[in-house]
């Protein structure tokens, strides 16, 4: 049968395509998802909730469509949604922002980050990125034209070496990208670490972009601290967040960037010409979500803690060395005991022969060799509410 969407392979060779795009591969996580589907495997590579989104938020979206909130919202975000973000940010951090000048609503945190990078980067600018890093940060840097300076987070507790961090900053540094709670390590940055980052940002007069999408997924008493709350950081931090993970609506594509007015002004211009705006009815429903009571977030953390425990138990029983995460919903593991030449070969073996998909660690490093002994698993689908959770309990042969 003819494929529904044949790849124009020959056509591609006729044109000189973007050199920048040639510098990165397609998303490894999405590739693993495709392999999982093709092999009918349990997908522990991508954070797909296998449980329903909250009924209230779905009803709010239905109501918004029925009420004909179906046309373009204001480019940088519907007013009621920006007001809800402002109220939530004030409640979480004690910081009062101006929703007219300091928020840009985008299509997920993905676009928030890309628009931010495009808004701030000039040729020659450097951006400090901790590695292992969430895979988007690499292409974000390349597309925006930034030169990345990677700083290692070291297992088992994923601390960085303060001297190495200091050495990565200099006169060309435009920003640091931080992700706390962290994908893929589960690290939650502590106040002392954030203070070191703050001191360097102030010293070199650069921005911090902080991706806080997992802010509510915390375990073992870990505390989430927004970098913007540290003295000296309010006016140099872009805080990125989204509805995706906190409300289990990754497909809605609604996120936002909170930034000082002049930075917001530039982000809004990039955002406008990239996407015009995020889905209007879903922004309306997002305003409802952001007003959920405290219990919602407590239950969220409790449920994710149970998933983490379940997956930790399975992985440890199967022979993986686990680095226990304190936040987010990923578990980084050491696979050196399994005798495979590298993480990609092992990931392919797991998905085709065992029926479970995970993410090869090399995809989180600039030099793949540094991630060859690692593999990351998402505990998102460990609720046991879906038949898909079943085969994950199969033993992985050593
Ligand atoms: C650290 C981090 N940031 C951003 C995203 C993507 O967020 P969104 O769906 O809001 O674009 C993910 C998704 O896995 C992530 O892990």
């Amino acid at each position: 049968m003819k494929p529904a969407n044949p790849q124009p392979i020959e056509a591609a060779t006729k044109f000189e395509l973007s050199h920048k795009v040639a510098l990165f591969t397609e998303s490894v996580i999405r590739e693993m998802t495709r392999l999982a589907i093709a092999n009918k495997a349990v997908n522990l590579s991508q954070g797909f909730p296998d449980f329903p989104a909250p009924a209230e938020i779905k009803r709010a979206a239905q109501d918004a469509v029925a009420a004909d909130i179906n046309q373009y919202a204001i480019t940088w975000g519907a007013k009621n949604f920006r007001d809800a973000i402002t109220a939530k940010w004030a409640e979480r951090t004690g910081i009062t922002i101006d929703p007219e000048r300091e928020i840009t609503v985008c299509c997920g945190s993905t676009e928030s980050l890309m628009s931010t990078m495009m808004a701030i980067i000039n040729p020659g600018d450097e951006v400090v990125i901790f590695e292992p890093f969430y895979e988007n940060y690499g292409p974000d840097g390349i597309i925006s034209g930034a030169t990345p300076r990677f700083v290692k987070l070291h297992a088992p507790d994923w601390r960085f070496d303060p001297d190495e961090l200091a050495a990565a900053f200099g006169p060309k540094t435009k920003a640091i990208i931080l992700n706390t709670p962290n994908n893929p390590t589960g690290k939650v940055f502590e106040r002392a670490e954030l203070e070191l980052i703050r001191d360097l940002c102030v010293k070199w007069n650069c921005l911090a972009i902080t991706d806080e999408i997992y802010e509510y997924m915390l375990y073992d008493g870990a505390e989430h601290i927004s970098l913007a709350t540290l003295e000296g950081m309010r006016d140099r931090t872009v805080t990125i967040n989204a509805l995706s993970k906190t409300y289990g609506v990754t497909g809605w594509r609604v996120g936002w960037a909170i930034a000082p007015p002049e930075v917001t002004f530039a982000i809004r211009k990039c955002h406008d010409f990239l996407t015009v705006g995020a889905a209007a009815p879903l922004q309306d429903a997002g305003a409802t979500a952001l007003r959920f009571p405290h219990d919602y977030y407590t239950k969220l953390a409790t449920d994710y803690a149970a998933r983490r425990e379940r997956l930790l138990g399975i992985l440890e029983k199967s022979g993986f060395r686990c680095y226990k995460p304190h936040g987010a919903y990923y578990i980084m593991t050491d696979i050196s005991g399994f005798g495979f030449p590298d993480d990609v070969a092992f990931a392919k073996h797991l998905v085709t022969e065992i029926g479970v998909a995970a993410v090869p660690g090399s995809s989180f490093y600039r030099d793949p060799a540094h991630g060859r002994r690692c593999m990351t698993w998402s505990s998102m689908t460990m609720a046991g509410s879906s038949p898909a959770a079943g085969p994950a309990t199969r033993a992985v042969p050593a």
Side-chain angles (χ1 to χ4, degrees), residues 108-110 134 137 179 183 211 213-214 242 244-245 253 330:
S109 62
T110 300
Y134 169 54
Y137 302 158
N179 171 218
N183 171 8
D211 177 345
I213 192 162
Y214 299 109
S244 306
K245 313 284 178 173
R253 316 307 307 130
Y330 304 93

Side-chain angles (χ1 to χ4, degrees), residues 245-269:
K245 313 284 178 173
T246 307
Y247 304 101
V249 288
T250 56
W252 280 20
R253 316 307 307 130
V254 179
W256 57 91
I258 297 173
E262 70 279 18
V263 182
T264 295
F265 183 65
I267 295 172
R268 286 179 175 184
K269 284 201 275 183

Side-chain angles (χ1 to χ4, degrees), residues 86-350:
T86 304
K88 185 115 191 81
W89 185 239
E91 181 197 304
R92 290 283 283 162
T93 64
I95 299 175
T96 304
I97 47 169
D98 178 355
E100 296 310 322
R101 301 191 315 143
E102 292 180 274
I103 299 175
T104 312
V105 175
C106 295
C107 298
S109 62
T110 300
E111 195 239 320
S112 310
L113 189 64
M114 183 60 88
S115 289
T116 301
M117 293 287 281
M118 295 180 95
I120 65 168
I121 297 298
N122 288 311
D125 283 351
E126 293 182 356
V127 172
V128 178
I129 302 175
F130 288 109
E131 71 172 352
F133 53 85
Y134 169 54
E135 62 172 358
N136 280 33
Y137 302 158
D140 285 339
I142 294 168
I143 291 171
S144 65
T147 304
R149 296 289 305 263
F150 292 100
V151 174
K152 284 254 163 19
L153 297 172
H154 300 281
D157 53 6
W158 307 106
R159 291 192 180 278
F160 57 84
D161 173 349
D163 293 335
E164 202 190 326
L165 182 65
F169 279 74
K172 293 184 181 163
T173 310
K174 177 55 68 71
I176 179 169
I177 300 180
L178 179 74
N179 171 218
T180 183
N182 184 259
N183 171 8
T185 63
K187 176 184 176 64
V188 179
F189 282 74
E190 293 168 7
R191 186 172 292 279
E193 294 172 310
L194 296 175
E195 284 173 354
L196 281 172
I197 294 168
R198 184 267 316 274
D199 292 348
L200 288 164
C201 288
V202 172
K203 175 176 175 186
W204 294 105
N205 188 30
C206 58
L207 290 155
I209 304 169
T210 136
D211 177 345
E212 304 189 355
I213 192 162
Y214 299 109
E215 64 173 327
Y216 288 104
M217 293 166 198
L218 299 165
Y219 320 112
D220 312 323
E223 185 196 0
H224 171 67
I225 302 170
S226 288
L227 191 58
T229 61
L230 269 62
E231 199 187 336
M233 289 310 286
R234 181 177 178 335
D235 292 337
R236 59 175 73 248
T237 303
V238 182
T239 306
I240 284 171
N241 215 320
L243 297 179
S244 306
K245 313 284 178 173
T246 307
Y247 304 101
V249 288
T250 56
W252 280 20
R253 316 307 307 130
V254 179
W256 57 91
I258 297 173
E262 70 279 18
V263 182
T264 295
F265 183 65
I267 295 172
R268 286 179 175 184
K269 284 201 275 183
C270 295
H271 160 71
D272 187 3
F273 291 105
L274 272 176
T275 65
V276 177
L282 303 183
Q283 292 188 51
D284 199 66
T288 300
L290 291 175
R291 294 190 184 104
F292 279 174
H294 287 281
D295 297 2
Y296 175 80
Y297 304 98
T298 313
K299 184 168 180 330
L300 183 89
T302 310
D303 289 352
Y304 274 96
R307 290 182 192 113
R308 179 191 70 155
E309 284 314 305
R310 182 162 181 232
L311 184 57
L312 275 172
I314 292 166
L315 291 171
E316 275 165 1
K317 216 166 111 193
S318 306
F320 289 88
R321 181 175 169 220
C322 297
Y323 301 108
K324 200 173 180 180
H326 297 298
Y329 54 70
Y330 304 93
I331 300 178
M332 185 69 118
T333 55
D334 184 324
I335 56 168
S336 36
F338 288 95
F340 272 76
D342 68 60
D343 58 322
V344 176
F346 190 37
K348 289 205 170 135
H349 169 79
L350 289 178

